Amino acid sequence: MVDEESSDRSALGRWLALVRFAAGRIATQARRTPRRTAVTVGLVAITIALLVIVTGISVALAGDTAADDNEADLRVVPHEGGTFSPVVGVEGPRLSDVHDRTETIDDRADVDYATPVLMEVVQARSPEGNGSVNVMAVGVVPRESSPPVGGVPTDPLEPGDPHYANGSYDGTRTGDVVLSTAASDQLEASEGASLVVRGSQMTANASAGTYEVTAVEEADTASLSDGLPVVVLRLSELQTLTGADDEDLADQVLVGTDSDDAHEAIEETYPNATVESGTEPGLAALQEDDLALATSLITLIVGIGICTLFVTTATGLLVERERRTLAVLSAVGFPGRSRLAVVAVMTLTLTVVGAAVGIALGYAGVAVTNWIATSTVTSSPIATTDPLFVPYALAIAVVAGLFALPYPLYLTTKTDVVAELRQ
């Protein structure tokens, strides 16, 4: 037992000595050829920095689509997903019987509000005008303290949806709409103006109606709908215009609550839907947004590939410069496994150092990106950071280093000891 413990300590001491030796060789190379070392570290750093920046933008995008456009605590969406997208006119799965089910949720004491949301592309024009403008129509059931939807406040609309009339859709039409400033500009309509709104020609059972502009509201500049012409009206009236009244359809339901009991009640009310958090922070937000997740995955794959190529090339040149040292190690009795370990440690050390520099550059890049964005096109940051970015980036760099290892190790095994010692 004592001999085994002594052998383990001896093996650990040898490995630590190899690591110290490899680190010393890197320090020596950095002093002798600072430009080459800087280029190696810099290439890895740039790759990791770009990875951090793109991931930060993806996380912010995922958070924005879920939270900024519809500032609700919870969102009830079909299983296939229901994230708001500026790509309009594309229908996906929808929720049915939303008026009655949402009313059940809204009646709970631990729920501040619950409102269904339907988004459709419709055509709008002034009564005297000939040309129609395609706009994004957002149908809601206004509630007190309801959040902005599609970046546009719903406060100007009186609470309630009288046209629904318990599913008969023969109640009083209010004829009120709220326009975003983009819609107001394109329609040349101000508060008090009349508009003719018609369902899209591509929609079956579409109809038209005349509406009055109750208010013109500035869309949230952090919203993905910023710049889009948005018209907010009552849900049943939009359903009638677009033919979605047959099954009382909506794209999602926004719920304001922080109660776990309410969350369970929502799942019981909508057993075939998904309940998502509207304010999911950090990397977890990627799980709620397919586009942002796909962007991050593509960046991850490309980042690993590029980083692997850079490390492979740089460490191949490093082995060429270290051939004489490797030959001396062989001559003094270092086994092949030890020499390979030295090269592996040098490769991974350079990669990790480059990753550390890249993480710092990436965080700085996120700050610069946000500064440029807020100075030019938006009032809110478009990228974010997360503490998990650090282990995430380091792990990617290590994986790239491991992928790059076979080439420098192969060059190490091909070192001609006699030829190197003769030089």
Side-chain angles (χ1 to χ4, degrees):
M1 181 67 70
V2 174
D3 291 340
E4 289 181 1
E5 293 179 355
S6 176
S7 176
D8 291 340
R9 287 196 298 270
S10 176
L12 178 60
R14 287 196 298 270
W15 279 105
L16 290 176
L18 288 174
V19 171
R20 287 196 297 269
F21 177 79
R25 290 306 304 167
I26 291 178
T28 300
Q29 288 288 344
R31 289 193 301 269
R32 292 180 177 176
T33 57
R35 290 186 178 179
R36 292 179 179 177
T37 305
V39 168
T40 302
V41 172
L43 291 175
V44 175
I46 291 173
T47 305
I48 297 300
L50 291 175
L51 178 74
V52 170
I53 293 171
V54 174
T55 303
I57 294 175
S58 299
V59 171
L61 172 65
D64 283 348
T65 56
D68 289 338
D69 281 342
N70 307 313
E71 298 173 1
D73 297 320
L74 298 175
R75 298 188 313 133
V76 184
V77 299
H79 277 312
E80 296 295 329
T83 300
F84 175 77
S85 170
V87 181
V88 297
V90 180
E91 290 188 8
R94 284 178 166 170
L95 305 173
S96 62
D97 194 22
V98 292
H99 276 92
D100 292 340
R101 292 187 183 186
T102 304
E103 190 70 30
T104 301
I105 299 171
D106 190 60
D107 286 342
R108 292 181 58 90
D110 53 0
V111 172
D112 296 328
Y113 61 83
T115 180
V117 178
L118 174 66
M119 296 179 180
E120 287 275 12
V121 178
V122 299
Q123 297 176 336
R125 61 176 177 84
S126 65
E128 301 80 15
N130 295 322
S132 297
V133 175
N134 288 328
V135 298
M136 168 62 77
V138 180
V140 299
V141 177
R143 313 278 190 191
E144 293 184 3
S145 71
S146 292
V149 181
V152 179
T154 61
D155 298 341
L157 297 177
E158 292 292 330
D161 193 7
H163 182 60
Y164 175 65
N166 296 321
S168 65
Y169 290 89
D170 59 4
T172 304
R173 288 178 62 258
T174 65
D176 296 333
V177 297
V178 178
L179 302 183
S180 68
T181 51
S184 175
D185 292 341
Q186 293 191 30
L187 294 169
E188 299 181 351
S190 58
E191 185 175 336
S194 295
L195 292 176
V196 176
V197 181
R198 180 184 298 276
S200 173
Q201 295 178 354
M202 299 177 61
T203 304
N205 302 321
S207 60
T210 302
Y211 291 83
E212 181 179 344
V213 179
T214 301
V216 176
E217 297 286 346
E218 185 78 33
D220 184 0
T221 55
S223 166
L224 289 180
S225 61
D226 180 37
L228 289 177
V230 178
V231 176
V232 180
L233 66 162
R234 285 173 175 78
L235 175 62
S236 64
E237 298 176 20
L238 179 59
Q239 288 175 329
T240 301
L241 290 175
T242 60
D245 53 344
D246 288 342
E247 298 182 38
D248 190 14
L249 300 177
D251 295 300
Q252 58 186 316
V253 176
L254 307 182
V255 183
T257 183
D258 56 4
S259 169
D260 293 336
D261 292 338
H263 192 288
E264 294 177 0
I266 294 169
E267 291 179 337
E268 293 177 0
T269 304
Y270 287 96
N272 297 319
T274 302
V275 181
E276 300 177 349
S277 170
T279 55
E280 196 73 48
L283 287 172
L286 291 178
Q287 301 175 9
E288 311 293 346
D289 190 281
D290 292 340
L291 175 61
L293 180 60
T295 302
S296 295
L297 290 176
I298 292 173
T299 305
L300 169 64
I301 295 171
V302 173
I304 290 177
I306 294 176
C307 194
T308 299
L309 291 176
F310 285 159
V311 174
T312 299
T313 303
T315 52
L317 296 174
L318 177 66
V319 171
E320 288 294 330
R321 298 195 299 270
E322 289 291 307
R323 282 192 183 278
R324 179 169 296 183
T325 300
L326 294 172
V328 171
L329 291 178
S330 177
V332 299
F334 271 65
R337 185 175 62 179
S338 296
R339 299 196 303 275
L340 293 175
V342 169
V343 173
V345 171
M346 293 176 71
T347 299
L348 294 177
T349 300
L350 281 174
T351 305
V352 171
V353 171
V357 175
I359 292 171
L361 291 177
Y363 273 70
V366 168
V368 172
T369 300
N370 286 331
W371 177 78
I372 294 174
T374 54
S375 299
T376 56
V377 297
T378 182
S379 62
S380 300
I382 63 170
T384 187
T385 56
D386 189 287
L388 292 177
F389 283 8
V390 175
Y392 171 68
L394 286 174
I396 289 174
V398 171
V399 169
L402 292 175
F403 283 159
L405 270 181
Y407 181 63
L409 294 183
Y410 170 77
L411 293 179
T412 301
T413 61
K414 295 300 181 180
T415 298
D416 189 332
V417 176
V418 176
E420 293 295 333
L421 292 177
R422 285 178 176 175
Q423 293 181 9

PDB file of all heavy atoms in Angstrom, residues 84 86 88 120-122 124 133-138 150 152 178-187 217 219 224-232:
ATOM      1  N   PHE A  84     -43.196  36.149 -31.021  1.00  0.00           N
ATOM      2  CA  PHE A  84     -43.489  37.191 -32.005  1.00  0.00           C
ATOM      3  C   PHE A  84     -42.326  37.339 -32.954  1.00  0.00           C
ATOM      4  O   PHE A  84     -41.170  37.347 -32.560  1.00  0.00           O
ATOM      5  CB  PHE A  84     -43.745  38.523 -31.292  1.00  0.00           C
ATOM      6  CG  PHE A  84     -43.928  39.669 -32.250  1.00  0.00           C
ATOM      7  CD1 PHE A  84     -45.116  39.835 -32.928  1.00  0.00           C
ATOM      8  CD2 PHE A  84     -42.889  40.560 -32.482  1.00  0.00           C
ATOM      9  CE1 PHE A  84     -45.277  40.877 -33.816  1.00  0.00           C
ATOM     10  CE2 PHE A  84     -43.046  41.608 -33.361  1.00  0.00           C
ATOM     11  CZ  PHE A  84     -44.252  41.760 -34.025  1.00  0.00           C
ATOM     12  N   PRO A  86     -41.045  39.539 -36.635  1.00  0.00           N
ATOM     13  CA  PRO A  86     -41.379  40.554 -37.617  1.00  0.00           C
ATOM     14  C   PRO A  86     -41.643  39.973 -38.996  1.00  0.00           C
ATOM     15  O   PRO A  86     -42.008  40.698 -39.913  1.00  0.00           O
ATOM     16  CB  PRO A  86     -40.134  41.453 -37.627  1.00  0.00           C
ATOM     17  CG  PRO A  86     -39.031  40.574 -37.191  1.00  0.00           C
ATOM     18  CD  PRO A  86     -39.642  39.603 -36.228  1.00  0.00           C
ATOM     19  N   VAL A  88     -44.039  38.626 -41.102  1.00  0.00           N
ATOM     20  CA  VAL A  88     -45.481  38.586 -40.971  1.00  0.00           C
ATOM     21  C   VAL A  88     -46.106  37.762 -42.076  1.00  0.00           C
ATOM     22  O   VAL A  88     -45.492  37.446 -43.083  1.00  0.00           O
ATOM     23  CB  VAL A  88     -46.060  40.018 -40.992  1.00  0.00           C
ATOM     24  CG1 VAL A  88     -45.561  40.807 -39.806  1.00  0.00           C
ATOM     25  CG2 VAL A  88     -45.701  40.729 -42.290  1.00  0.00           C
ATOM     26  N   GLU A 120     -52.199  39.410 -37.142  1.00  0.00           N
ATOM     27  CA  GLU A 120     -52.539  39.152 -38.537  1.00  0.00           C
ATOM     28  C   GLU A 120     -52.092  40.326 -39.404  1.00  0.00           C
ATOM     29  O   GLU A 120     -52.051  41.470 -38.942  1.00  0.00           O
ATOM     30  CB  GLU A 120     -54.055  38.991 -38.700  1.00  0.00           C
ATOM     31  CG  GLU A 120     -54.611  37.691 -38.159  1.00  0.00           C
ATOM     32  CD  GLU A 120     -54.502  36.560 -39.162  1.00  0.00           C
ATOM     33  OE1 GLU A 120     -53.799  36.737 -40.181  1.00  0.00           O
ATOM     34  OE2 GLU A 120     -55.126  35.508 -38.928  1.00  0.00           O
ATOM     35  N   VAL A 121     -51.764  40.040 -40.658  1.00  0.00           N
ATOM     36  CA  VAL A 121     -51.491  41.094 -41.623  1.00  0.00           C
ATOM     37  C   VAL A 121     -52.821  41.504 -42.252  1.00  0.00           C
ATOM     38  O   VAL A 121     -53.562  40.655 -42.762  1.00  0.00           O
ATOM     39  CB  VAL A 121     -50.523  40.621 -42.714  1.00  0.00           C
ATOM     40  CG1 VAL A 121     -50.304  41.729 -43.740  1.00  0.00           C
ATOM     41  CG2 VAL A 121     -49.202  40.207 -42.100  1.00  0.00           C
ATOM     42  N   VAL A 122     -53.152  42.782 -42.167  1.00  0.00           N
ATOM     43  CA  VAL A 122     -54.390  43.290 -42.763  1.00  0.00           C
ATOM     44  C   VAL A 122     -54.052  44.489 -43.642  1.00  0.00           C
ATOM     45  O   VAL A 122     -52.913  44.979 -43.641  1.00  0.00           O
ATOM     46  CB  VAL A 122     -55.409  43.701 -41.676  1.00  0.00           C
ATOM     47  CG1 VAL A 122     -55.776  42.509 -40.804  1.00  0.00           C
ATOM     48  CG2 VAL A 122     -54.871  44.848 -40.829  1.00  0.00           C
ATOM     49  N   ALA A 124     -55.113  48.442 -44.625  1.00  0.00           N
ATOM     50  CA  ALA A 124     -55.779  49.624 -44.067  1.00  0.00           C
ATOM     51  C   ALA A 124     -55.606  50.801 -45.019  1.00  0.00           C
ATOM     52  O   ALA A 124     -54.587  50.924 -45.702  1.00  0.00           O
ATOM     53  CB  ALA A 124     -55.204  49.958 -42.697  1.00  0.00           C
ATOM     54  N   VAL A 133     -52.505  49.986 -47.346  1.00  0.00           N
ATOM     55  CA  VAL A 133     -51.195  49.715 -46.752  1.00  0.00           C
ATOM     56  C   VAL A 133     -51.301  48.438 -45.938  1.00  0.00           C
ATOM     57  O   VAL A 133     -52.245  48.261 -45.150  1.00  0.00           O
ATOM     58  CB  VAL A 133     -50.746  50.884 -45.841  1.00  0.00           C
ATOM     59  CG1 VAL A 133     -49.438  50.531 -45.135  1.00  0.00           C
ATOM     60  CG2 VAL A 133     -50.595  52.161 -46.653  1.00  0.00           C
ATOM     61  N   ASN A 134     -50.369  47.528 -46.135  1.00  0.00           N
ATOM     62  CA  ASN A 134     -50.320  46.321 -45.306  1.00  0.00           C
ATOM     63  C   ASN A 134     -49.758  46.677 -43.938  1.00  0.00           C
ATOM     64  O   ASN A 134     -48.678  47.266 -43.833  1.00  0.00           O
ATOM     65  CB  ASN A 134     -49.448  45.247 -45.957  1.00  0.00           C
ATOM     66  CG  ASN A 134     -50.096  44.627 -47.174  1.00  0.00           C
ATOM     67  OD1 ASN A 134     -51.320  44.502 -47.234  1.00  0.00           O
ATOM     68  ND2 ASN A 134     -49.291  44.228 -48.147  1.00  0.00           N
ATOM     69  N   VAL A 135     -50.495  46.317 -42.897  1.00  0.00           N
ATOM     70  CA  VAL A 135     -50.069  46.623 -41.533  1.00  0.00           C
ATOM     71  C   VAL A 135     -50.173  45.362 -40.683  1.00  0.00           C
ATOM     72  O   VAL A 135     -50.890  44.418 -41.035  1.00  0.00           O
ATOM     73  CB  VAL A 135     -50.928  47.758 -40.908  1.00  0.00           C
ATOM     74  CG1 VAL A 135     -50.783  49.050 -41.688  1.00  0.00           C
ATOM     75  CG2 VAL A 135     -52.390  47.341 -40.810  1.00  0.00           C
ATOM     76  N   MET A 136     -49.447  45.356 -39.567  1.00  0.00           N
ATOM     77  CA  MET A 136     -49.558  44.273 -38.603  1.00  0.00           C
ATOM     78  C   MET A 136     -50.669  44.612 -37.627  1.00  0.00           C
ATOM     79  O   MET A 136     -50.566  45.570 -36.862  1.00  0.00           O
ATOM     80  CB  MET A 136     -48.233  44.083 -37.848  1.00  0.00           C
ATOM     81  CG  MET A 136     -48.363  43.159 -36.628  1.00  0.00           C
ATOM     82  SD  MET A 136     -48.858  41.485 -37.039  1.00  0.00           S
ATOM     83  CE  MET A 136     -47.309  40.858 -37.669  1.00  0.00           C
ATOM     84  N   ALA A 137     -51.755  43.860 -37.680  1.00  0.00           N
ATOM     85  CA  ALA A 137     -52.867  44.067 -36.759  1.00  0.00           C
ATOM     86  C   ALA A 137     -52.683  43.160 -35.552  1.00  0.00           C
ATOM     87  O   ALA A 137     -52.411  41.965 -35.690  1.00  0.00           O
ATOM     88  CB  ALA A 137     -54.199  43.771 -37.446  1.00  0.00           C
ATOM     89  N   VAL A 138     -52.850  43.728 -34.376  1.00  0.00           N
ATOM     90  CA  VAL A 138     -52.706  42.994 -33.122  1.00  0.00           C
ATOM     91  C   VAL A 138     -54.042  43.053 -32.396  1.00  0.00           C
ATOM     92  O   VAL A 138     -54.493  44.134 -32.009  1.00  0.00           O
ATOM     93  CB  VAL A 138     -51.592  43.586 -32.239  1.00  0.00           C
ATOM     94  CG1 VAL A 138     -51.466  42.796 -30.941  1.00  0.00           C
ATOM     95  CG2 VAL A 138     -50.262  43.590 -32.982  1.00  0.00           C
ATOM     96  N   GLY A 150     -46.698  43.861 -29.040  1.00  0.00           N
ATOM     97  CA  GLY A 150     -46.043  44.276 -30.272  1.00  0.00           C
ATOM     98  C   GLY A 150     -45.335  45.601 -30.106  1.00  0.00           C
ATOM     99  O   GLY A 150     -45.083  46.320 -31.069  1.00  0.00           O
ATOM    100  N   VAL A 152     -46.540  48.212 -28.639  1.00  0.00           N
ATOM    101  CA  VAL A 152     -47.493  49.325 -28.635  1.00  0.00           C
ATOM    102  C   VAL A 152     -48.384  49.225 -27.396  1.00  0.00           C
ATOM    103  O   VAL A 152     -48.971  48.164 -27.141  1.00  0.00           O
ATOM    104  CB  VAL A 152     -48.364  49.312 -29.904  1.00  0.00           C
ATOM    105  CG1 VAL A 152     -49.376  50.456 -29.872  1.00  0.00           C
ATOM    106  CG2 VAL A 152     -47.488  49.408 -31.146  1.00  0.00           C
ATOM    107  N   VAL A 178     -55.651  51.634 -32.085  1.00  0.00           N
ATOM    108  CA  VAL A 178     -54.467  52.396 -31.690  1.00  0.00           C
ATOM    109  C   VAL A 178     -53.403  52.154 -32.750  1.00  0.00           C
ATOM    110  O   VAL A 178     -53.135  50.996 -33.110  1.00  0.00           O
ATOM    111  CB  VAL A 178     -53.959  51.962 -30.304  1.00  0.00           C
ATOM    112  CG1 VAL A 178     -52.694  52.746 -29.943  1.00  0.00           C
ATOM    113  CG2 VAL A 178     -55.029  52.162 -29.244  1.00  0.00           C
ATOM    114  N   LEU A 179     -52.808  53.211 -33.250  1.00  0.00           N
ATOM    115  CA  LEU A 179     -51.776  53.095 -34.277  1.00  0.00           C
ATOM    116  C   LEU A 179     -50.399  53.335 -33.683  1.00  0.00           C
ATOM    117  O   LEU A 179     -50.232  54.172 -32.787  1.00  0.00           O
ATOM    118  CB  LEU A 179     -52.005  54.118 -35.393  1.00  0.00           C
ATOM    119  CG  LEU A 179     -53.329  54.096 -36.154  1.00  0.00           C
ATOM    120  CD1 LEU A 179     -53.300  55.141 -37.265  1.00  0.00           C
ATOM    121  CD2 LEU A 179     -53.619  52.716 -36.714  1.00  0.00           C
ATOM    122  N   SER A 180     -49.416  52.602 -34.190  1.00  0.00           N
ATOM    123  CA  SER A 180     -48.031  52.972 -33.915  1.00  0.00           C
ATOM    124  C   SER A 180     -47.690  54.172 -34.781  1.00  0.00           C
ATOM    125  O   SER A 180     -48.376  54.473 -35.769  1.00  0.00           O
ATOM    126  CB  SER A 180     -47.101  51.804 -34.236  1.00  0.00           C
ATOM    127  OG  SER A 180     -47.070  51.556 -35.638  1.00  0.00           O
ATOM    128  N   THR A 181     -46.637  54.882 -34.434  1.00  0.00           N
ATOM    129  CA  THR A 181     -46.261  56.063 -35.221  1.00  0.00           C
ATOM    130  C   THR A 181     -45.911  55.677 -36.651  1.00  0.00           C
ATOM    131  O   THR A 181     -46.185  56.433 -37.582  1.00  0.00           O
ATOM    132  CB  THR A 181     -45.075  56.779 -34.566  1.00  0.00           C
ATOM    133  OG1 THR A 181     -44.034  55.828 -34.312  1.00  0.00           O
ATOM    134  CG2 THR A 181     -45.483  57.434 -33.247  1.00  0.00           C
ATOM    135  N   ALA A 182     -45.324  54.484 -36.837  1.00  0.00           N
ATOM    136  CA  ALA A 182     -44.997  54.036 -38.193  1.00  0.00           C
ATOM    137  C   ALA A 182     -46.274  53.843 -39.012  1.00  0.00           C
ATOM    138  O   ALA A 182     -46.347  54.229 -40.182  1.00  0.00           O
ATOM    139  CB  ALA A 182     -44.188  52.739 -38.143  1.00  0.00           C
ATOM    140  N   ALA A 183     -47.312  53.248 -38.390  1.00  0.00           N
ATOM    141  CA  ALA A 183     -48.581  53.083 -39.088  1.00  0.00           C
ATOM    142  C   ALA A 183     -49.240  54.426 -39.363  1.00  0.00           C
ATOM    143  O   ALA A 183     -49.800  54.659 -40.438  1.00  0.00           O
ATOM    144  CB  ALA A 183     -49.515  52.191 -38.264  1.00  0.00           C
ATOM    145  N   SER A 184     -49.155  55.338 -38.393  1.00  0.00           N
ATOM    146  CA  SER A 184     -49.739  56.667 -38.575  1.00  0.00           C
ATOM    147  C   SER A 184     -49.087  57.391 -39.741  1.00  0.00           C
ATOM    148  O   SER A 184     -49.774  58.036 -40.554  1.00  0.00           O
ATOM    149  CB  SER A 184     -49.584  57.483 -37.287  1.00  0.00           C
ATOM    150  OG  SER A 184     -50.026  58.806 -37.459  1.00  0.00           O
ATOM    151  N   ASP A 185     -47.764  57.273 -39.825  1.00  0.00           N
ATOM    152  CA  ASP A 185     -47.048  57.958 -40.910  1.00  0.00           C
ATOM    153  C   ASP A 185     -47.413  57.361 -42.263  1.00  0.00           C
ATOM    154  O   ASP A 185     -47.649  58.088 -43.237  1.00  0.00           O
ATOM    155  CB  ASP A 185     -45.540  57.861 -40.677  1.00  0.00           C
ATOM    156  CG  ASP A 185     -45.084  58.660 -39.467  1.00  0.00           C
ATOM    157  OD1 ASP A 185     -45.836  59.556 -39.042  1.00  0.00           O
ATOM    158  OD2 ASP A 185     -43.987  58.377 -38.940  1.00  0.00           O
ATOM    159  N   GLN A 186     -47.458  56.032 -42.352  1.00  0.00           N
ATOM    160  CA  GLN A 186     -47.732  55.403 -43.645  1.00  0.00           C
ATOM    161  C   GLN A 186     -49.170  55.608 -44.093  1.00  0.00           C
ATOM    162  O   GLN A 186     -49.451  55.734 -45.283  1.00  0.00           O
ATOM    163  CB  GLN A 186     -47.403  53.909 -43.581  1.00  0.00           C
ATOM    164  CG  GLN A 186     -45.918  53.608 -43.418  1.00  0.00           C
ATOM    165  CD  GLN A 186     -45.595  52.145 -43.613  1.00  0.00           C
ATOM    166  OE1 GLN A 186     -46.263  51.442 -44.359  1.00  0.00           O
ATOM    167  NE2 GLN A 186     -44.545  51.678 -42.950  1.00  0.00           N
ATOM    168  N   LEU A 187     -50.094  55.639 -43.117  1.00  0.00           N
ATOM    169  CA  LEU A 187     -51.508  55.825 -43.458  1.00  0.00           C
ATOM    170  C   LEU A 187     -51.906  57.295 -43.500  1.00  0.00           C
ATOM    171  O   LEU A 187     -53.033  57.613 -43.893  1.00  0.00           O
ATOM    172  CB  LEU A 187     -52.386  55.095 -42.435  1.00  0.00           C
ATOM    173  CG  LEU A 187     -52.281  53.565 -42.429  1.00  0.00           C
ATOM    174  CD1 LEU A 187     -52.973  52.990 -41.207  1.00  0.00           C
ATOM    175  CD2 LEU A 187     -52.921  53.004 -43.698  1.00  0.00           C
ATOM    176  N   GLU A 217     -49.483  55.922 -30.751  1.00  0.00           N
ATOM    177  CA  GLU A 217     -48.502  55.667 -29.700  1.00  0.00           C
ATOM    178  C   GLU A 217     -47.140  55.341 -30.301  1.00  0.00           C
ATOM    179  O   GLU A 217     -47.047  54.674 -31.340  1.00  0.00           O
ATOM    180  CB  GLU A 217     -48.961  54.496 -28.816  1.00  0.00           C
ATOM    181  CG  GLU A 217     -50.253  54.735 -28.061  1.00  0.00           C
ATOM    182  CD  GLU A 217     -50.067  55.693 -26.892  1.00  0.00           C
ATOM    183  OE1 GLU A 217     -48.910  55.954 -26.519  1.00  0.00           O
ATOM    184  OE2 GLU A 217     -51.085  56.175 -26.351  1.00  0.00           O
ATOM    185  N   ALA A 219     -43.996  53.246 -30.609  1.00  0.00           N
ATOM    186  CA  ALA A 219     -43.627  51.864 -30.308  1.00  0.00           C
ATOM    187  C   ALA A 219     -42.310  51.836 -29.555  1.00  0.00           C
ATOM    188  O   ALA A 219     -41.437  52.687 -29.752  1.00  0.00           O
ATOM    189  CB  ALA A 219     -43.513  51.045 -31.597  1.00  0.00           C
ATOM    190  N   LEU A 224     -38.891  44.370 -31.343  1.00  0.00           N
ATOM    191  CA  LEU A 224     -38.615  43.918 -32.710  1.00  0.00           C
ATOM    192  C   LEU A 224     -39.612  44.511 -33.706  1.00  0.00           C
ATOM    193  O   LEU A 224     -39.374  44.517 -34.897  1.00  0.00           O
ATOM    194  CB  LEU A 224     -38.673  42.383 -32.771  1.00  0.00           C
ATOM    195  CG  LEU A 224     -37.521  41.645 -32.083  1.00  0.00           C
ATOM    196  CD1 LEU A 224     -37.722  40.159 -32.237  1.00  0.00           C
ATOM    197  CD2 LEU A 224     -36.183  42.070 -32.631  1.00  0.00           C
ATOM    198  N   SER A 225     -40.756  44.998 -33.197  1.00  0.00           N
ATOM    199  CA  SER A 225     -41.743  45.599 -34.085  1.00  0.00           C
ATOM    200  C   SER A 225     -41.493  47.077 -34.318  1.00  0.00           C
ATOM    201  O   SER A 225     -42.255  47.727 -35.034  1.00  0.00           O
ATOM    202  CB  SER A 225     -43.151  45.406 -33.497  1.00  0.00           C
ATOM    203  OG  SER A 225     -43.248  46.039 -32.234  1.00  0.00           O
ATOM    204  N   ASP A 226     -40.427  47.621 -33.710  1.00  0.00           N
ATOM    205  CA  ASP A 226     -40.122  49.034 -33.917  1.00  0.00           C
ATOM    206  C   ASP A 226     -39.894  49.297 -35.402  1.00  0.00           C
ATOM    207  O   ASP A 226     -39.094  48.626 -36.051  1.00  0.00           O
ATOM    208  CB  ASP A 226     -38.872  49.410 -33.119  1.00  0.00           C
ATOM    209  CG  ASP A 226     -38.503  50.867 -33.307  1.00  0.00           C
ATOM    210  OD1 ASP A 226     -39.422  51.691 -33.404  1.00  0.00           O
ATOM    211  OD2 ASP A 226     -37.292  51.162 -33.366  1.00  0.00           O
ATOM    212  N   GLY A 227     -40.615  50.267 -35.948  1.00  0.00           N
ATOM    213  CA  GLY A 227     -40.510  50.581 -37.365  1.00  0.00           C
ATOM    214  C   GLY A 227     -41.576  49.921 -38.211  1.00  0.00           C
ATOM    215  O   GLY A 227     -41.805  50.324 -39.355  1.00  0.00           O
ATOM    216  N   LEU A 228     -42.230  48.876 -37.673  1.00  0.00           N
ATOM    217  CA  LEU A 228     -43.317  48.235 -38.409  1.00  0.00           C
ATOM    218  C   LEU A 228     -44.620  49.004 -38.179  1.00  0.00           C
ATOM    219  O   LEU A 228     -44.866  49.502 -37.082  1.00  0.00           O
ATOM    220  CB  LEU A 228     -43.515  46.792 -37.936  1.00  0.00           C
ATOM    221  CG  LEU A 228     -42.438  45.771 -38.303  1.00  0.00           C
ATOM    222  CD1 LEU A 228     -42.801  44.426 -37.676  1.00  0.00           C
ATOM    223  CD2 LEU A 228     -42.321  45.622 -39.805  1.00  0.00           C
ATOM    224  N   PRO A 229     -45.487  49.092 -39.198  1.00  0.00           N
ATOM    225  CA  PRO A 229     -46.805  49.696 -38.984  1.00  0.00           C
ATOM    226  C   PRO A 229     -47.695  48.735 -38.209  1.00  0.00           C
ATOM    227  O   PRO A 229     -48.034  47.657 -38.694  1.00  0.00           O
ATOM    228  CB  PRO A 229     -47.309  49.932 -40.413  1.00  0.00           C
ATOM    229  CG  PRO A 229     -46.599  48.915 -41.242  1.00  0.00           C
ATOM    230  CD  PRO A 229     -45.264  48.700 -40.606  1.00  0.00           C
ATOM    231  N   VAL A 230     -48.046  49.096 -36.991  1.00  0.00           N
ATOM    232  CA  VAL A 230     -48.829  48.229 -36.109  1.00  0.00           C
ATOM    233  C   VAL A 230     -50.161  48.892 -35.792  1.00  0.00           C
ATOM    234  O   VAL A 230     -50.211  50.084 -35.466  1.00  0.00           O
ATOM    235  CB  VAL A 230     -48.074  47.921 -34.805  1.00  0.00           C
ATOM    236  CG1 VAL A 230     -48.929  47.062 -33.872  1.00  0.00           C
ATOM    237  CG2 VAL A 230     -46.752  47.219 -35.104  1.00  0.00           C
ATOM    238  N   VAL A 231     -51.239  48.123 -35.888  1.00  0.00           N
ATOM    239  CA  VAL A 231     -52.585  48.580 -35.532  1.00  0.00           C
ATOM    240  C   VAL A 231     -53.111  47.667 -34.436  1.00  0.00           C
ATOM    241  O   VAL A 231     -53.166  46.446 -34.623  1.00  0.00           O
ATOM    242  CB  VAL A 231     -53.539  48.537 -36.751  1.00  0.00           C
ATOM    243  CG1 VAL A 231     -54.954  48.922 -36.331  1.00  0.00           C
ATOM    244  CG2 VAL A 231     -53.047  49.456 -37.848  1.00  0.00           C
ATOM    245  N   VAL A 232     -53.461  48.233 -33.282  1.00  0.00           N
ATOM    246  CA  VAL A 232     -53.978  47.450 -32.156  1.00  0.00           C
ATOM    247  C   VAL A 232     -55.484  47.673 -32.071  1.00  0.00           C
ATOM    248  O   VAL A 232     -55.954  48.821 -32.042  1.00  0.00           O
ATOM    249  CB  VAL A 232     -53.294  47.856 -30.833  1.00  0.00           C
ATOM    250  CG1 VAL A 232     -53.851  47.029 -29.679  1.00  0.00           C
ATOM    251  CG2 VAL A 232     -51.784  47.674 -30.929  1.00  0.00           C
TER     252      VAL A 232
END
